[in-house]
Structure formats: structure tokens, C-alpha cells
Amino acid sequence: MSFKEIIYFLDKIGKIIDLSEKELELLKKPQKILQAEIEVSGKKYPAYRVQYNNSRGPFKGGIRFHPEVDLEEVQSLAFWMSLKTAIADISFGGGKGGIRVDPKQLSEKELEELSRKWVRAFYKEIGPTKDIPAPDVYTTPQIMAWMLDEYENIIGEKAPGMITGKPLALGGSLVRDIATALGGVYVLEEAMKKINLTERTAAIQGFGNAGMNMAKLLAEKGYKIVAVSDSRGGIYVQEGLNLSEVIKAKEEKGSVIDYNLAKKISNEELLTVDCAVLVPAALSGVITAKNAGKIKARIVLELANGPTTPEADEILHKNKILVLPDVLANSGGVTVSYFEWVQNNYGYYWDEHTVKSRLKEKMVSAFDKIWKEYAPSNYDFRTNTYILAVKKILEAERLRGRV
Ligand code: NAD
């Protein structure tokens, strides 16, 4: 989502809940923008950290390594993190980082150097009580490990809570790897109960960490997964795919379309197949005014960040399709990141059951709070979600005397 769309949403919410100019101004600007240029093997890469809002706790958000990263994108993602942590009700603010680089073009040594230099560029402004990064697109637990090591070398002491998404051996949390999808399942199950939806069929766009884990978890719960896709295209079987065979094809041959016993469909077609639940779990901006009217699902669960355009949102709302927005639906990832940070601060680590049950508690509670506002209101679920998040941020701002 572009920053322009964020401004559009903020203005819309501002009118609904009567925000003052000062409040809107505060929400429309990040607190701090950090920029650097990182040199590896003679090439220079622009690097960023945007610290959007820390009224509710330290800045929190991932670091993205991608050739299209720019300041506007990092700023938008940092804003969404502020909403997400407020909705998840965890004591963090919002931030995001990135490097404009194609990590696939780097050797492992160069990738390590790049990661360590990102920390050297920004270490004064990050830390367990200031700003806590995490993985995002093309950044991994190994990269988090290098970053932690670099930070601890600079400050001369252990500080595992300076970053999350770490490998387990360095203080990571159990369940972190499936947390985004699992959080989405908890929210979905609550929503299905509320609208009395019993048909358990789903189509999932994207088959990476979020999408594949979602497919697995839903299949375990007895859902028929009728369609899945990745960057090369999609596959569809109305009676439900044989998921373990699809995963095998993806792992062995590189794509879900290498599974032969299904009809091939495009990523666009996947959005409009006959199913109860549609899960965009890949790119942003895929549900548009062009295709929203053709969507047959009753629920859209946004595991991807920003998959629905504002125009599409209005069409879905008119057609009585419940959209569970990204800042709620995929907040399981940051919630378990928060659990990781809590465990690091404690120096005491939880078992799998404890992490899962605490995640469920958080997700169900967040969903219920929004549902209570949404059910009697005239606005869609997303608008109600944003309103709740904005109110929580502004409450903290007011208590601090900043508005
Ligand atoms: P990933 O890189 O593991 O997987 C992405 C998947 O999308 C891959 O299967 C890829 O083939 C597919 N894809 C790429 N281009 C596509 C296209 N044009 N059409 C259809 N599929 C395409 O990434 P991920 O971690 O699963 O993240 C997916 C989305 O979920 C992103 O929007 C991300 O921001 C969001 N998200 C992920 C997490 C998390 O913890 N993984 C947390 C919050 C949000």
C-alpha cells in the first residue's frame, strides 16, 4: 500500500471519529527516519530504518532486503506495524527497515557483511528497549543471528532481546516459524462462528511461509484446499487438493504447478474460484476494483500485507464479504515476536503449548474487541479495526502529552 493510500485512510478515519488537526498530523508522520549507504564489494546499497511511532512501547518491525525497497515503502510498512502492535495489544510501537538490494546476487559472505553493516549503521538507535527489528521479505533467522552478534560485539554485552525471529539456539521462540498462519487460523475460526459459516473450503494465493503453513493448518482442521498458487501460477481441484502431494511437487520441482493432477489456473483466476474462504498470502494490491465483484468467498483473510485496494474494499463490503484485514489477520507473527522478546527479557523459555495457547488468547481477544465495534456499526471490518488501533495509539500519545 502506498503512503498516499495511508493518508486517504487516516483522513477517512479522522472524519468518522472526529480527530483534531494535531492528532492527524501526528499520525501522518513518522517520528524518525534513519538512512545510510552501505558498501559491500565496491557496490553501494541504500539502507533505511523508519521509526514511526513509539507511544505504546519500543519501535518494532522487520527488515526487508529487496531490489524495490525505497523510503516510501519502508515508511508505509512502519505505519502498518504501529497499527498491528496496537491491535495485537502488545507493548510495542511500529517501525520498519530495509536495504535496496537483490540478496540473490550476493554470496553468503557478502550477505553477512551487508547484514552486519546495517547494524553498524543504526546500532545507536536500536536495542531491546528502543527499537527491535525482525525478519521480513528475504531476511532470515541466520541474518538475525549475524545482526545480533554484531550488536552484542559493539555494545560488549549480551542483548538477545534486540532482535526477534532468531534461531532457537540464540534465544528464538518456538512456534515463530508458523505464527503468522496460526494466528490467521485462530481469527478465521472466530469469524466463521460469528457469521455461522460452516463450509470449510479455502483458496490460498502464495505458497511460502504464510501461504503454505496456512494450507497445512487448515487441512489439519478438515478444510478442503481447493486452490493454491505461487509466482508461476495456480492449481485447482473442486473436491480438494492432495496437499502433501502438492507440497512434494513444490519441494522437488520448484512450483505448485508441477503437481499434475489439477487444473491449471492463473493467479487472477484463483481469486474468484468457488470457495468459502479466500486467503491472499503473497503480494499487495491483488484484489482490485476489477476482480472484487467476482469474488465468491464469504471471508477474505488477508495474510499478505495490503492485498486489497480501497476501491475493492468498498465492493467487498457491499457484497457482504467479510474482510479480515492484514493488521489483524497476520499479526500472529509479531505477537510471537513479542513473546520471543518477553522470553529473552525473562531469560526463561516457554514450551510449544504455552506459546500456542497465549497466541490464541491474544488473537481471539483482538478479534472480539473489533467485532464488538463492527457488529452494530455501518462501517466495514477494516475501518473498525483501524479506528480501534488509532484510538489506542492516540490514548498513549495523550497520556504522554504529545497531543
Ligand atoms: P514468502 O517469500 O515465504 O512466500 C511468498 C509466496 O508468494 C511464494 O510462494 C511466491 O512464489 C509467491 N508469489 C510471489 N509472487 C507471486 C505472484 N505474483 N502471485 C502469486 N504468488 C506469488 O513470503 P511470506 O513470508 O509467506 O509472505 C507472504 C505475504 O505475507 C507478504 O505479503 C508478507 O508481507 C506477508 N506477511 C508474512 C509474515 C510472515 O511471518 N511470514 C508476517 C506478516 C505478513
Side-chain angles (χ1 to χ4, degrees):
M1 172 159 317
S2 69
F3 204 69
K4 235 173 106 194
E5 283 171 325
I6 288 174
I7 301 289
Y8 163 87
F9 271 120
L10 283 172
D11 285 332
K12 177 176 162 186
I13 285 164
K15 282 192 193 113
I16 299 172
I17 57 172
D18 205 16
L19 295 180
S20 70
E21 271 308 308
K22 200 170 172 197
E23 287 168 326
L24 269 176
E25 216 172 278
L26 182 140
L27 292 168
K28 286 178 182 176
K29 261 197 225 127
Q31 283 175 220
K32 212 172 200 181
I33 294 174
L34 309 168
Q35 297 190 70
E37 206 167 48
I38 295 177
E39 194 172 330
V40 173
S41 303
K43 272 197 187 154
K44 289 182 175 161
Y45 302 98
Y48 308 95
R49 185 71 182 169
V50 174
Q51 299 181 323
Y52 207 96
N53 189 284
N54 70 351
S55 57
R56 302 182 57 264
F59 301 106
K60 178 82 187 105
I63 304 170
R64 181 171 288 198
F65 287 2
H66 194 275
E68 274 151 36
V69 161
D70 60 20
L71 183 58
E72 191 198 333
E73 181 185 63
V74 179
Q75 183 169 303
S76 301
L77 292 164
F79 170 80
W80 294 120
M81 285 306 300
S82 313
L83 295 191
K84 213 179 276 190
T85 54
I87 286 301
D89 199 26
I90 53 184
S91 53
F92 284 146
K96 202 83 183 186
I99 303 182
R100 191 177 176 87
V101 60
D102 182 356
K104 289 179 188 164
Q105 305 295 321
L106 302 183
S107 68
E108 170 134 330
K109 270 257 143 286
E110 288 170 326
L111 191 60
E112 177 177 349
E113 189 180 334
L114 186 79
S115 307
R116 289 184 182 275
K117 284 187 169 167
W118 187 94
V119 172
R120 260 180 258 162
F122 301 127
Y123 79 93
K124 284 191 185 140
E125 309 280 351
I126 59 176
T129 57
K130 276 188 189 166
D131 183 353
I132 304 139
D136 191 68
V137 176
Y138 294 148
T139 46
T140 59
Q142 174 61 71
I143 291 176
M144 301 304 107
W146 289 326
M147 289 184 161
L148 172 70
D149 188 63
E150 190 63 28
Y151 184 78
E152 290 180 340
N153 286 343
I154 295 170
I155 65 162
E157 58 187 82
K158 297 293 171 203
M162 65 75 56
I163 203 160
T164 60
K166 301 179 289 293
L168 283 178
L170 292 183
S173 176
L174 290 169
V175 190
R176 180 64 185 85
D177 48 345
I178 60 159
T180 301
L182 187 59
V185 172
Y186 293 143
V187 168
L188 175 63
E189 295 272 279
E190 291 309 297
M192 304 237 335
K193 278 190 249 165
K194 293 282 192 226
I195 65 166
N196 296 319
L197 182 59
T198 50
E199 185 192 328
R200 297 192 151 214
T201 52
I204 301 171
Q205 186 183 66
F207 210 64
N209 176 290
M212 185 168 71
N213 282 314
M214 191 66 187
K216 281 188 193 165
L217 291 166
L218 289 181
E220 277 166 23
K221 285 192 166 287
Y223 283 72
K224 266 197 275 179
I225 311 299
V226 298
V228 297
S229 69
D230 58 28
S231 58
R232 286 174 52 202
I235 50 174
Y236 172 69
V237 171
Q238 183 59 53
E239 295 72 38
L241 291 158
N242 179 334
L243 201 63
S244 50
E245 289 300 313
V246 174
I247 292 171
K248 203 165 143 206
K250 169 94 181 163
E251 280 169 0
E252 284 173 4
K253 297 185 186 145
S255 170
V256 294
I257 61 166
D258 294 313
Y259 174 72
N260 286 323
L261 301 173
K263 186 179 165 199
K264 303 275 182 289
I265 56 172
S266 66
N267 263 298
E268 180 75 18
E269 285 167 325
L270 179 135
L271 299 170
T272 58
V273 299
D274 209 346
C275 63
V277 181
L278 173 65
V279 186
L283 306 179
S284 60
V286 289
I287 302 180
T288 63
K290 258 190 179 167
N291 55 33
K294 295 187 232 156
I295 289 178
K296 300 182 190 78
R298 293 281 315 283
I299 291 181
V300 176
L301 179 81
E302 293 186 342
L303 281 195
N305 280 316
T308 311
T309 66
E311 299 80 27
D313 235 359
E314 280 175 26
I315 298 169
L316 295 175
H317 184 53
K318 246 187 241 149
N319 291 349
K320 298 198 166 38
I321 295 169
L322 178 62
V323 180
L324 300 167
D326 45 12
V327 290
L328 169 70
N330 69 30
S331 66
V334 73
T335 301
V336 175
S337 266
Y338 165 70
F339 293 162
E340 180 177 334
W341 177 78
V342 170
Q343 292 169 79
N344 295 149
N345 290 344
Y346 238 56
Y348 178 74
Y349 290 81
W350 309 345
D351 61 18
E352 188 179 327
H353 171 75
T354 305
V355 180
K356 283 184 176 168
S357 62
R358 287 184 176 161
L359 175 63
K360 184 170 186 181
E361 216 175 278
K362 281 275 183 207
M363 301 303 298
V364 171
S365 152
F367 173 83
D368 280 347
K369 274 186 204 138
I370 304 163
W371 187 270
K372 250 189 220 139
E373 301 292 325
Y374 161 74
S377 85
N378 293 323
Y379 302 107
D380 58 89
F381 200 83
R382 185 191 310 278
T383 304
N384 278 284
T385 306
Y386 292 172
I387 289 174
L388 196 74
V390 162
K391 279 184 176 168
K392 287 186 76 167
I393 294 169
L394 288 176
E395 183 193 357
E397 291 288 359
R398 238 170 261 128
L399 289 165
R400 290 176 185 280
R402 299 206 289 217
V403 284

